[in-house]
Amino acid sequence: MTYAVETFDLSRKFGSFTAVDKLNLEVGRGEVCGFLGPNGAGKSTAIRMLCGILKPSSGKAEVLGFDVEQESEKIKARIGYMSQKFSLYNDLSVRENLDFYAGIYSIPARERSRRIEEMMALAGIKGEEKVLVASLSPGFKQRLALGCAILARPALIFLDEPTSGVSPTARRQFFNIIQEMAAGGVTVIVSTHFMDEAERCDKIAFFNQGRLLALDSPDQLVQDLPGCLVRLDLPDPFRQISFLETLPFVQECSFHGPSLHLLLTGSDCIEDLQRITGSEPVRLTPNLEDIFINLLHRQGKERRELS
């Protein structure tokens, strides 16, 4: 496979703080890769390095075949970038904002009108040309920002927390556009906090404390979860979680609303758990939240063993 993004022990430090720690990442052309993790996990710093905005402290990366440190200007000319705080001009209309960004991207005048019409159709904002941005809903502003970011028809687009603060319906519509772009051969890297968005990506990169914990398809990540996941409903679960974690066949235990999710060493332990607790465990199909909890648990265990 030809990779749109490839990194080799890519790291970034700010003083004594390591924001990204030896990142090794491969994203194929035409893939949608979701960067998933909590605030401060290193997602935005990684994106800024891959965009050529921020120099690595060590390691290297290639984006569209160009070195991020030596050829950052070539990268910037070939990518689109949209942040959570993408700059739109509220006192200009939708069309005027698109015209402004077409000028920034040096799109020739003879192509500009056709390109703007194309982007408005793709972003689902056709018919809103004369509307002032200040009066648009958050969802429409988000789609307009995407339209501005892809005016130059980039081969790769970075979307850094693009759906924060908009409705679930707007988020779904936005991801429909992303998947349509990927179907046309555009590579998309999108950072998100939302598990439902991550599930729609071809590949997920789980980040925590600057480290890449896993990189794979959602289906493969679920298949790779070691053990058997069950839900257990108990009275006063908070008081019982410490005891459950001492059981030899319980790998981890976490709260999910009023219930507990337990990762057991195998399905043959379900009867033992029922006998000990007096409550019938319900076997579950893991979701991405369960996968992330397991990855955090494994990361914590590895660090304790090293210390």
Side-chain angles (χ1 to χ4, degrees):
M1 176 183 283
T2 303
Y3 294 114
V5 173
E6 196 170 9
T7 71
F8 309 88
D9 285 345
L10 188 68
S11 300
R12 175 67 197 198
K13 292 186 175 182
F14 296 95
S16 61
F17 174 68
T18 302
V20 175
D21 189 6
K22 295 181 180 179
L23 173 62
N24 291 289
L25 180 74
E26 294 172 343
V27 181
R29 294 180 186 264
E31 284 188 330
V32 180
C33 180
F35 281 14
L36 191 64
N39 288 333
K43 306 185 302 296
S44 295
T45 301
I47 285 175
R48 291 171 67 200
M49 284 193 286
L50 295 175
C51 288
I53 298 170
L54 189 64
K55 283 195 173 186
S57 300
S58 61
K60 65 173 292 187
E62 291 184 359
V63 174
L64 300 175
F66 299 104
D67 184 274
V68 295
E69 195 162 6
Q70 305 298 325
E71 301 172 292
S72 62
E73 294 307 313
K74 291 179 180 178
I75 292 171
K76 291 173 187 176
R78 290 167 172 80
I79 64 171
Y81 174 71
M82 176 185 164
S83 72
Q84 184 180 344
K85 297 179 181 178
F86 191 90
S87 296
L88 293 173
Y89 294 91
N90 286 326
D91 55 345
L92 298 180
S93 69
V94 167
R95 179 66 184 234
E96 287 167 340
N97 268 275
L98 287 162
D99 271 324
F100 175 77
Y101 280 98
I104 288 178
Y105 292 127
S106 301
I107 296 173
R110 63 182 180 277
E111 291 184 28
R112 191 168 297 184
S113 181
R114 178 173 56 83
R115 189 79 62 86
I116 287 173
E117 292 294 326
E118 182 182 300
M119 292 306 115
M120 284 196 296
L122 177 61
I125 53 177
K126 202 166 178 61
E128 306 292 329
E129 294 91 332
K130 296 180 180 180
V131 177
L132 285 179
V133 168
S135 64
L136 292 175
S137 69
F140 266 91
K141 285 183 179 179
Q142 172 202 55
R143 284 187 269 166
L144 173 58
L146 178 63
C148 291
I150 61 177
L151 267 173
R153 291 179 182 158
L156 169 63
I157 182 165
F158 293 93
L159 308 173
D160 193 4
E161 300 286 355
T163 58
S164 295
V166 300
S167 69
T169 299
R171 290 198 289 109
R172 285 193 296 271
Q173 292 170 340
F174 190 82
F175 251 75
N176 289 342
I177 297 167
I178 289 174
Q179 290 179 312
E180 187 176 340
M181 288 166 53
V186 177
T187 305
V188 181
I189 292 180
V190 53
S191 68
T192 179
H193 288 110
F194 300 108
M195 297 291 174
D196 61 324
E197 290 183 350
E199 287 171 348
R200 298 183 65 179
C201 295
D202 300 309
K203 184 181 287 184
I204 301 171
F206 277 108
F207 286 81
N208 190 56
Q209 297 178 344
R211 301 298 300 271
L212 178 66
L213 304 186
L215 175 68
D216 218 322
S217 68
D219 288 344
Q220 191 60 51
L221 287 166
V222 168
Q223 289 177 29
D224 289 345
L225 184 70
C228 172
L229 186 71
V230 299
R231 188 189 79 233
L232 195 63
D233 296 305
L234 295 171
D236 199 4
F238 183 78
R239 289 182 177 274
Q240 303 199 50
I241 193 168
S242 296
F243 165 70
L244 292 169
E245 289 176 332
T246 66
L247 298 175
F249 51 82
V250 174
Q251 298 186 67
E252 59 195 57
C253 185
S254 59
F255 288 103
H256 286 253
S259 301
L260 293 172
H261 283 198
L262 289 83
L263 184 63
L264 310 181
T265 54
S267 58
D268 55 333
C269 304
I270 292 178
E271 288 186 8
D272 291 333
L273 182 63
Q274 182 172 355
R275 177 176 51 79
I276 291 169
T277 63
S279 179
E280 183 177 0
V282 178
R283 190 161 183 174
L284 298 175
T285 299
N287 58 29
L288 290 181
E289 187 175 355
D290 297 311
I291 302 301
F292 192 42
I293 289 171
N294 175 252
L295 291 169
L296 292 178
H297 176 82
R298 284 154 59 184
Q299 183 188 36
K301 184 178 179 182
E302 288 171 5
R303 290 192 168 177
R304 286 192 297 272
E305 289 173 351
L306 290 172
S307 61

mmCIF file of all heavy atoms in Angstrom, residues 220-263:
data_model
loop_
_atom_site.group_PDB
_atom_site.id
_atom_site.type_symbol
_atom_site.label_atom_id
_atom_site.label_comp_id
_atom_site.label_asym_id
_atom_site.label_seq_id
_atom_site.Cartn_x
_atom_site.Cartn_y
_atom_site.Cartn_z
ATOM 1 N N GLN A 220 -11.398 -4.895 13.794
ATOM 2 C CA GLN A 220 -10.244 -5.661 14.246
ATOM 3 C C GLN A 220 -9.920 -5.365 15.705
ATOM 4 O O GLN A 220 -9.527 -6.254 16.466
ATOM 5 C CB GLN A 220 -9.024 -5.353 13.364
ATOM 6 C CG GLN A 220 -7.855 -6.304 13.600
ATOM 7 C CD GLN A 220 -8.210 -7.751 13.307
ATOM 8 O OE1 GLN A 220 -8.744 -8.074 12.243
ATOM 9 N NE2 GLN A 220 -7.940 -8.638 14.268
ATOM 10 N N LEU A 221 -10.076 -4.108 16.102
ATOM 11 C CA LEU A 221 -9.831 -3.745 17.498
ATOM 12 C C LEU A 221 -10.772 -4.496 18.434
ATOM 13 O O LEU A 221 -10.368 -4.958 19.507
ATOM 14 C CB LEU A 221 -9.997 -2.235 17.685
ATOM 15 C CG LEU A 221 -8.880 -1.376 17.102
ATOM 16 C CD1 LEU A 221 -9.320 0.081 17.036
ATOM 17 C CD2 LEU A 221 -7.601 -1.508 17.927
ATOM 18 N N VAL A 222 -12.042 -4.642 18.014
ATOM 19 C CA VAL A 222 -13.016 -5.388 18.831
ATOM 20 C C VAL A 222 -12.620 -6.859 18.901
ATOM 21 O O VAL A 222 -12.659 -7.487 19.969
ATOM 22 C CB VAL A 222 -14.432 -5.215 18.244
ATOM 23 C CG1 VAL A 222 -15.402 -6.209 18.881
ATOM 24 C CG2 VAL A 222 -14.931 -3.791 18.457
ATOM 25 N N GLN A 223 -12.215 -7.420 17.758
ATOM 26 C CA GLN A 223 -11.832 -8.842 17.728
ATOM 27 C C GLN A 223 -10.600 -9.118 18.577
ATOM 28 O O GLN A 223 -10.446 -10.209 19.133
ATOM 29 C CB GLN A 223 -11.564 -9.270 16.281
ATOM 30 C CG GLN A 223 -12.806 -9.358 15.419
ATOM 31 C CD GLN A 223 -12.495 -9.724 13.974
ATOM 32 O OE1 GLN A 223 -11.510 -10.415 13.701
ATOM 33 N NE2 GLN A 223 -13.312 -9.256 13.044
ATOM 34 N N ASP A 224 -9.728 -8.119 18.694
ATOM 35 C CA ASP A 224 -8.470 -8.316 19.417
ATOM 36 C C ASP A 224 -8.603 -8.153 20.933
ATOM 37 O O ASP A 224 -7.621 -8.383 21.655
ATOM 38 C CB ASP A 224 -7.405 -7.326 18.916
ATOM 39 C CG ASP A 224 -6.920 -7.671 17.512
ATOM 40 O OD1 ASP A 224 -7.184 -8.801 17.057
ATOM 41 O OD2 ASP A 224 -6.281 -6.807 16.874
ATOM 42 N N LEU A 225 -9.778 -7.778 21.418
ATOM 43 C CA LEU A 225 -9.934 -7.627 22.863
ATOM 44 C C LEU A 225 -9.741 -8.982 23.538
ATOM 45 O O LEU A 225 -10.459 -9.940 23.232
ATOM 46 C CB LEU A 225 -11.326 -7.074 23.201
ATOM 47 C CG LEU A 225 -11.564 -6.780 24.694
ATOM 48 C CD1 LEU A 225 -10.740 -5.575 25.125
ATOM 49 C CD2 LEU A 225 -13.042 -6.524 24.966
ATOM 50 N N PRO A 226 -8.783 -9.096 24.465
ATOM 51 C CA PRO A 226 -8.482 -10.412 25.060
ATOM 52 C C PRO A 226 -9.447 -10.769 26.178
ATOM 53 O O PRO A 226 -9.513 -10.090 27.195
ATOM 54 C CB PRO A 226 -7.065 -10.208 25.619
ATOM 55 C CG PRO A 226 -7.002 -8.744 25.949
ATOM 56 C CD PRO A 226 -7.886 -8.039 24.955
ATOM 57 N N GLY A 227 -10.230 -11.801 25.982
ATOM 58 C CA GLY A 227 -11.130 -12.237 27.043
ATOM 59 C C GLY A 227 -12.590 -12.124 26.669
ATOM 60 O O GLY A 227 -12.961 -11.992 25.499
ATOM 61 N N CYS A 228 -13.438 -12.165 27.680
ATOM 62 C CA CYS A 228 -14.890 -12.167 27.516
ATOM 63 C C CYS A 228 -15.469 -10.991 28.306
ATOM 64 O O CYS A 228 -15.220 -10.866 29.513
ATOM 65 C CB CYS A 228 -15.445 -13.496 28.033
ATOM 66 S SG CYS A 228 -17.238 -13.579 28.130
ATOM 67 N N LEU A 229 -16.240 -10.147 27.648
ATOM 68 C CA LEU A 229 -16.809 -8.965 28.287
ATOM 69 C C LEU A 229 -18.242 -9.239 28.740
ATOM 70 O O LEU A 229 -19.056 -9.764 27.965
ATOM 71 C CB LEU A 229 -16.796 -7.782 27.315
ATOM 72 C CG LEU A 229 -17.234 -6.431 27.881
ATOM 73 C CD1 LEU A 229 -16.171 -5.882 28.839
ATOM 74 C CD2 LEU A 229 -17.473 -5.430 26.752
ATOM 75 N N VAL A 230 -18.546 -8.869 29.991
ATOM 76 C CA VAL A 230 -19.903 -9.061 30.510
ATOM 77 C C VAL A 230 -20.361 -7.794 31.240
ATOM 78 O O VAL A 230 -19.544 -6.991 31.697
ATOM 79 C CB VAL A 230 -19.994 -10.261 31.485
ATOM 80 C CG1 VAL A 230 -19.621 -11.548 30.786
ATOM 81 C CG2 VAL A 230 -19.125 -10.033 32.729
ATOM 82 N N ARG A 231 -21.690 -7.668 31.330
ATOM 83 C CA ARG A 231 -22.289 -6.608 32.154
ATOM 84 C C ARG A 231 -22.835 -7.257 33.411
ATOM 85 O O ARG A 231 -23.422 -8.330 33.365
ATOM 86 C CB ARG A 231 -23.423 -5.920 31.406
ATOM 87 C CG ARG A 231 -23.957 -4.677 32.142
ATOM 88 C CD ARG A 231 -25.213 -4.128 31.501
ATOM 89 N NE ARG A 231 -26.389 -4.918 31.885
ATOM 90 C CZ ARG A 231 -27.257 -5.448 31.033
ATOM 91 N NH1 ARG A 231 -27.095 -5.316 29.732
ATOM 92 N NH2 ARG A 231 -28.298 -6.158 31.466
ATOM 93 N N LEU A 232 -22.631 -6.546 34.528
ATOM 94 C CA LEU A 232 -23.100 -7.065 35.809
ATOM 95 C C LEU A 232 -23.844 -5.954 36.535
ATOM 96 O O LEU A 232 -23.329 -4.848 36.699
ATOM 97 C CB LEU A 232 -21.904 -7.543 36.649
ATOM 98 C CG LEU A 232 -22.209 -8.432 37.855
ATOM 99 C CD1 LEU A 232 -22.844 -9.749 37.412
ATOM 100 C CD2 LEU A 232 -20.930 -8.707 38.639
ATOM 101 N N ASP A 233 -25.084 -6.252 36.926
ATOM 102 C CA ASP A 233 -25.897 -5.291 37.670
ATOM 103 C C ASP A 233 -25.930 -5.716 39.134
ATOM 104 O O ASP A 233 -26.442 -6.794 39.473
ATOM 105 C CB ASP A 233 -27.317 -5.230 37.101
ATOM 106 C CG ASP A 233 -27.334 -4.704 35.673
ATOM 107 O OD1 ASP A 233 -26.805 -3.595 35.444
ATOM 108 O OD2 ASP A 233 -27.847 -5.411 34.785
ATOM 109 N N LEU A 234 -25.360 -4.858 39.991
ATOM 110 C CA LEU A 234 -25.272 -5.160 41.412
ATOM 111 C C LEU A 234 -25.772 -3.972 42.237
ATOM 112 O O LEU A 234 -25.629 -2.824 41.811
ATOM 113 C CB LEU A 234 -23.822 -5.450 41.824
ATOM 114 C CG LEU A 234 -23.144 -6.685 41.229
ATOM 115 C CD1 LEU A 234 -21.668 -6.684 41.583
ATOM 116 C CD2 LEU A 234 -23.820 -7.950 41.726
ATOM 117 N N PRO A 235 -26.330 -4.232 43.420
ATOM 118 C CA PRO A 235 -26.661 -3.111 44.299
ATOM 119 C C PRO A 235 -25.378 -2.461 44.819
ATOM 120 O O PRO A 235 -24.417 -3.157 45.162
ATOM 121 C CB PRO A 235 -27.453 -3.776 45.443
ATOM 122 C CG PRO A 235 -27.019 -5.213 45.417
ATOM 123 C CD PRO A 235 -26.720 -5.535 43.984
ATOM 124 N N ASP A 236 -25.359 -1.144 44.831
ATOM 125 C CA ASP A 236 -24.208 -0.383 45.320
ATOM 126 C C ASP A 236 -22.901 -0.869 44.675
ATOM 127 O O ASP A 236 -21.972 -1.319 45.368
ATOM 128 C CB ASP A 236 -24.107 -0.491 46.844
ATOM 129 C CG ASP A 236 -23.235 0.616 47.443
ATOM 130 O OD1 ASP A 236 -22.784 1.498 46.666
ATOM 131 O OD2 ASP A 236 -22.999 0.572 48.656
ATOM 132 N N PRO A 237 -22.793 -0.781 43.342
ATOM 133 C CA PRO A 237 -21.613 -1.330 42.649
ATOM 134 C C PRO A 237 -20.303 -0.643 43.054
ATOM 135 O O PRO A 237 -19.250 -1.265 43.011
ATOM 136 C CB PRO A 237 -21.933 -1.088 41.172
ATOM 137 C CG PRO A 237 -22.927 0.025 41.170
ATOM 138 C CD PRO A 237 -23.739 -0.166 42.405
ATOM 139 N N PHE A 238 -20.387 0.609 43.479
ATOM 140 C CA PHE A 238 -19.172 1.331 43.840
ATOM 141 C C PHE A 238 -18.431 0.629 44.980
ATOM 142 O O PHE A 238 -17.203 0.575 45.010
ATOM 143 C CB PHE A 238 -19.521 2.762 44.244
ATOM 144 C CG PHE A 238 -18.321 3.604 44.575
ATOM 145 C CD1 PHE A 238 -17.532 4.133 43.565
ATOM 146 C CD2 PHE A 238 -17.972 3.838 45.897
ATOM 147 C CE1 PHE A 238 -16.414 4.898 43.859
ATOM 148 C CE2 PHE A 238 -16.855 4.601 46.209
ATOM 149 C CZ PHE A 238 -16.070 5.133 45.189
ATOM 150 N N ARG A 239 -19.180 0.074 45.927
ATOM 151 C CA ARG A 239 -18.561 -0.587 47.076
ATOM 152 C C ARG A 239 -18.017 -1.979 46.726
ATOM 153 O O ARG A 239 -17.218 -2.537 47.470
ATOM 154 C CB ARG A 239 -19.583 -0.726 48.218
ATOM 155 C CG ARG A 239 -19.926 0.604 48.890
ATOM 156 C CD ARG A 239 -20.898 0.375 50.037
ATOM 157 N NE ARG A 239 -21.180 1.617 50.744
ATOM 158 C CZ ARG A 239 -20.439 2.102 51.738
ATOM 159 N NH1 ARG A 239 -19.356 1.430 52.129
ATOM 160 N NH2 ARG A 239 -20.760 3.242 52.333
ATOM 161 N N GLN A 240 -18.475 -2.528 45.595
ATOM 162 C CA GLN A 240 -18.106 -3.901 45.270
ATOM 163 C C GLN A 240 -16.998 -4.008 44.233
ATOM 164 O O GLN A 240 -16.426 -5.086 44.039
ATOM 165 C CB GLN A 240 -19.350 -4.653 44.770
ATOM 166 C CG GLN A 240 -20.491 -4.631 45.788
ATOM 167 C CD GLN A 240 -21.510 -5.704 45.538
ATOM 168 O OE1 GLN A 240 -21.156 -6.869 45.375
ATOM 169 N NE2 GLN A 240 -22.778 -5.313 45.513
ATOM 170 N N ILE A 241 -16.684 -2.899 43.569
ATOM 171 C CA ILE A 241 -15.730 -2.965 42.470
ATOM 172 C C ILE A 241 -14.351 -3.407 42.939
ATOM 173 O O ILE A 241 -13.667 -4.174 42.260
ATOM 174 C CB ILE A 241 -15.672 -1.612 41.700
ATOM 175 C CG1 ILE A 241 -14.920 -1.797 40.387
ATOM 176 C CG2 ILE A 241 -15.070 -0.509 42.547
ATOM 177 C CD1 ILE A 241 -15.065 -0.614 39.450
ATOM 178 N N SER A 242 -13.915 -2.970 44.124
ATOM 179 C CA SER A 242 -12.585 -3.350 44.631
ATOM 180 C C SER A 242 -12.497 -4.858 44.851
ATOM 181 O O SER A 242 -11.482 -5.487 44.536
ATOM 182 C CB SER A 242 -12.277 -2.617 45.939
ATOM 183 O OG SER A 242 -12.196 -1.228 45.720
ATOM 184 N N PHE A 243 -13.587 -5.435 45.387
ATOM 185 C CA PHE A 243 -13.600 -6.881 45.600
ATOM 186 C C PHE A 243 -13.555 -7.628 44.271
ATOM 187 O O PHE A 243 -12.803 -8.606 44.117
ATOM 188 C CB PHE A 243 -14.849 -7.286 46.380
ATOM 189 C CG PHE A 243 -15.130 -8.766 46.339
ATOM 190 C CD1 PHE A 243 -14.302 -9.661 47.004
ATOM 191 C CD2 PHE A 243 -16.206 -9.259 45.612
ATOM 192 C CE1 PHE A 243 -14.544 -11.035 46.939
ATOM 193 C CE2 PHE A 243 -16.456 -10.618 45.555
ATOM 194 C CZ PHE A 243 -15.630 -11.509 46.219
ATOM 195 N N LEU A 244 -14.360 -7.172 43.306
ATOM 196 C CA LEU A 244 -14.418 -7.852 42.009
ATOM 197 C C LEU A 244 -13.049 -7.861 41.327
ATOM 198 O O LEU A 244 -12.670 -8.839 40.674
ATOM 199 C CB LEU A 244 -15.450 -7.174 41.106
ATOM 200 C CG LEU A 244 -16.909 -7.333 41.547
ATOM 201 C CD1 LEU A 244 -17.814 -6.413 40.743
ATOM 202 C CD2 LEU A 244 -17.358 -8.789 41.407
ATOM 203 N N GLU A 245 -12.299 -6.770 41.492
ATOM 204 C CA GLU A 245 -10.982 -6.679 40.857
ATOM 205 C C GLU A 245 -9.969 -7.654 41.463
ATOM 206 O O GLU A 245 -8.935 -7.930 40.851
ATOM 207 C CB GLU A 245 -10.450 -5.245 40.946
ATOM 208 C CG GLU A 245 -11.206 -4.269 40.038
ATOM 209 C CD GLU A 245 -10.754 -2.831 40.202
ATOM 210 O OE1 GLU A 245 -10.289 -2.467 41.309
ATOM 211 O OE2 GLU A 245 -10.882 -2.062 39.227
ATOM 212 N N THR A 246 -10.256 -8.200 42.650
ATOM 213 C CA THR A 246 -9.344 -9.170 43.262
ATOM 214 C C THR A 246 -9.574 -10.591 42.757
ATOM 215 O O THR A 246 -8.730 -11.464 42.982
ATOM 216 C CB THR A 246 -9.493 -9.176 44.797
ATOM 217 O OG1 THR A 246 -10.794 -9.673 45.150
ATOM 218 C CG2 THR A 246 -9.282 -7.779 45.368
ATOM 219 N N LEU A 247 -10.705 -10.814 42.065
ATOM 220 C CA LEU A 247 -10.990 -12.160 41.578
ATOM 221 C C LEU A 247 -9.984 -12.531 40.492
ATOM 222 O O LEU A 247 -9.706 -11.731 39.598
ATOM 223 C CB LEU A 247 -12.415 -12.235 41.039
ATOM 224 C CG LEU A 247 -13.537 -11.959 42.054
ATOM 225 C CD1 LEU A 247 -14.896 -11.956 41.367
ATOM 226 C CD2 LEU A 247 -13.501 -12.991 43.185
ATOM 227 N N PRO A 248 -9.420 -13.735 40.536
ATOM 228 C CA PRO A 248 -8.327 -14.094 39.615
ATOM 229 C C PRO A 248 -8.727 -14.104 38.142
ATOM 230 O O PRO A 248 -7.861 -13.964 37.273
ATOM 231 C CB PRO A 248 -7.915 -15.485 40.087
ATOM 232 C CG PRO A 248 -9.093 -16.014 40.838
ATOM 233 C CD PRO A 248 -9.736 -14.818 41.474
ATOM 234 N N PHE A 249 -10.017 -14.277 37.847
ATOM 235 C CA PHE A 249 -10.445 -14.337 36.447
ATOM 236 C C PHE A 249 -10.977 -12.992 35.931
ATOM 237 O O PHE A 249 -11.438 -12.908 34.794
ATOM 238 C CB PHE A 249 -11.516 -15.422 36.251
ATOM 239 C CG PHE A 249 -12.663 -15.333 37.224
ATOM 240 C CD1 PHE A 249 -13.707 -14.442 37.004
ATOM 241 C CD2 PHE A 249 -12.696 -16.141 38.355
ATOM 242 C CE1 PHE A 249 -14.770 -14.367 37.884
ATOM 243 C CE2 PHE A 249 -13.749 -16.067 39.244
ATOM 244 C CZ PHE A 249 -14.788 -15.173 39.013
ATOM 245 N N VAL A 250 -10.932 -11.940 36.763
ATOM 246 C CA VAL A 250 -11.372 -10.602 36.335
ATOM 247 C C VAL A 250 -10.139 -9.792 35.945
ATOM 248 O O VAL A 250 -9.279 -9.490 36.777
ATOM 249 C CB VAL A 250 -12.155 -9.888 37.453
ATOM 250 C CG1 VAL A 250 -12.470 -8.443 37.048
ATOM 251 C CG2 VAL A 250 -13.453 -10.643 37.748
ATOM 252 N N GLN A 251 -10.041 -9.438 34.644
ATOM 253 C CA GLN A 251 -8.902 -8.664 34.163
ATOM 254 C C GLN A 251 -9.071 -7.177 34.462
ATOM 255 O O GLN A 251 -8.101 -6.483 34.773
ATOM 256 C CB GLN A 251 -8.734 -8.845 32.652
ATOM 257 C CG GLN A 251 -8.449 -10.286 32.238
ATOM 258 C CD GLN A 251 -8.159 -10.380 30.761
ATOM 259 O OE1 GLN A 251 -7.151 -9.883 30.267
ATOM 260 N NE2 GLN A 251 -9.061 -11.028 30.028
ATOM 261 N N GLU A 252 -10.296 -6.692 34.344
ATOM 262 C CA GLU A 252 -10.577 -5.281 34.633
ATOM 263 C C GLU A 252 -12.061 -5.098 34.872
ATOM 264 O O GLU A 252 -12.891 -5.931 34.470
ATOM 265 C CB GLU A 252 -10.109 -4.372 33.496
ATOM 266 C CG GLU A 252 -10.757 -4.677 32.159
ATOM 267 C CD GLU A 252 -10.032 -4.016 31.000
ATOM 268 O OE1 GLU A 252 -8.814 -4.261 30.830
ATOM 269 O OE2 GLU A 252 -10.682 -3.266 30.268
ATOM 270 N N CYS A 253 -12.394 -3.991 35.540
ATOM 271 C CA CYS A 253 -13.780 -3.711 35.910
ATOM 272 C C CYS A 253 -13.985 -2.208 35.839
ATOM 273 O O CYS A 253 -13.165 -1.441 36.355
ATOM 274 C CB CYS A 253 -14.035 -4.241 37.318
ATOM 275 S SG CYS A 253 -15.745 -4.089 37.879
ATOM 276 N N SER A 254 -15.073 -1.771 35.189
ATOM 277 C CA SER A 254 -15.303 -0.332 35.039
ATOM 278 C C SER A 254 -16.798 -0.026 35.093
ATOM 279 O O SER A 254 -17.637 -0.888 34.811
ATOM 280 C CB SER A 254 -14.717 0.174 33.718
ATOM 281 O OG SER A 254 -15.304 -0.505 32.615
ATOM 282 N N PHE A 255 -17.105 1.223 35.442
ATOM 283 C CA PHE A 255 -18.491 1.666 35.510
ATOM 284 C C PHE A 255 -19.010 2.048 34.126
ATOM 285 O O PHE A 255 -18.312 2.690 33.338
ATOM 286 C CB PHE A 255 -18.617 2.892 36.421
ATOM 287 C CG PHE A 255 -18.446 2.583 37.882
ATOM 288 C CD1 PHE A 255 -17.266 2.890 38.541
ATOM 289 C CD2 PHE A 255 -19.467 1.976 38.603
ATOM 290 C CE1 PHE A 255 -17.100 2.605 39.879
ATOM 291 C CE2 PHE A 255 -19.322 1.691 39.943
ATOM 292 C CZ PHE A 255 -18.131 2.001 40.591
ATOM 293 N N HIS A 256 -20.246 1.662 33.840
ATOM 294 C CA HIS A 256 -20.958 2.101 32.643
ATOM 295 C C HIS A 256 -22.373 2.433 33.087
ATOM 296 O O HIS A 256 -23.246 1.561 33.133
ATOM 297 C CB HIS A 256 -20.947 1.020 31.558
ATOM 298 C CG HIS A 256 -19.625 0.867 30.878
ATOM 299 N ND1 HIS A 256 -19.395 1.302 29.589
ATOM 300 C CD2 HIS A 256 -18.455 0.369 31.328
ATOM 301 C CE1 HIS A 256 -18.136 1.051 29.269
ATOM 302 N NE2 HIS A 256 -17.551 0.488 30.310
ATOM 303 N N GLY A 257 -22.583 3.694 33.452
ATOM 304 C CA GLY A 257 -23.865 4.067 34.036
ATOM 305 C C GLY A 257 -24.029 3.345 35.369
ATOM 306 O O GLY A 257 -23.093 3.259 36.163
ATOM 307 N N PRO A 258 -25.201 2.755 35.625
ATOM 308 C CA PRO A 258 -25.421 2.056 36.907
ATOM 309 C C PRO A 258 -24.848 0.638 36.910
ATOM 310 O O PRO A 258 -24.884 -0.033 37.933
ATOM 311 C CB PRO A 258 -26.951 2.013 37.013
ATOM 312 C CG PRO A 258 -27.414 1.989 35.586
ATOM 313 C CD PRO A 258 -26.419 2.819 34.805
ATOM 314 N N SER A 259 -24.335 0.196 35.769
ATOM 315 C CA SER A 259 -23.839 -1.178 35.648
ATOM 316 C C SER A 259 -22.322 -1.208 35.684
ATOM 317 O O SER A 259 -21.640 -0.189 35.568
ATOM 318 C CB SER A 259 -24.336 -1.805 34.337
ATOM 319 O OG SER A 259 -25.746 -1.818 34.270
ATOM 320 N N LEU A 260 -21.789 -2.426 35.807
ATOM 321 C CA LEU A 260 -20.354 -2.657 35.716
ATOM 322 C C LEU A 260 -20.072 -3.494 34.472
ATOM 323 O O LEU A 260 -20.827 -4.406 34.132
ATOM 324 C CB LEU A 260 -19.863 -3.426 36.952
ATOM 325 C CG LEU A 260 -19.933 -2.697 38.291
ATOM 326 C CD1 LEU A 260 -19.602 -3.664 39.426
ATOM 327 C CD2 LEU A 260 -18.982 -1.512 38.311
ATOM 328 N N HIS A 261 -18.987 -3.161 33.794
ATOM 329 C CA HIS A 261 -18.489 -3.999 32.705
ATOM 330 C C HIS A 261 -17.235 -4.692 33.212
ATOM 331 O O HIS A 261 -16.305 -4.038 33.712
ATOM 332 C CB HIS A 261 -18.164 -3.162 31.462
ATOM 333 C CG HIS A 261 -19.367 -2.753 30.689
ATOM 334 N ND1 HIS A 261 -19.316 -2.327 29.375
ATOM 335 C CD2 HIS A 261 -20.682 -2.704 31.039
ATOM 336 C CE1 HIS A 261 -20.539 -2.030 28.956
ATOM 337 N NE2 HIS A 261 -21.382 -2.256 29.946
ATOM 338 N N LEU A 262 -17.195 -6.009 33.076
ATOM 339 C CA LEU A 262 -16.051 -6.786 33.532
ATOM 340 C C LEU A 262 -15.454 -7.542 32.354
ATOM 341 O O LEU A 262 -16.193 -8.175 31.573
ATOM 342 C CB LEU A 262 -16.452 -7.789 34.613
ATOM 343 C CG LEU A 262 -16.824 -7.232 35.990
ATOM 344 C CD1 LEU A 262 -18.273 -6.770 36.020
ATOM 345 C CD2 LEU A 262 -16.590 -8.285 37.062
ATOM 346 N N LEU A 263 -14.136 -7.473 32.222
ATOM 347 C CA LEU A 263 -13.437 -8.271 31.224
ATOM 348 C C LEU A 263 -12.883 -9.503 31.927
ATOM 349 O O LEU A 263 -12.008 -9.397 32.794
ATOM 350 C CB LEU A 263 -12.310 -7.463 30.577
ATOM 351 C CG LEU A 263 -11.566 -8.162 29.432
ATOM 352 C CD1 LEU A 263 -12.517 -8.439 28.264
ATOM 353 C CD2 LEU A 263 -10.372 -7.351 28.974
#
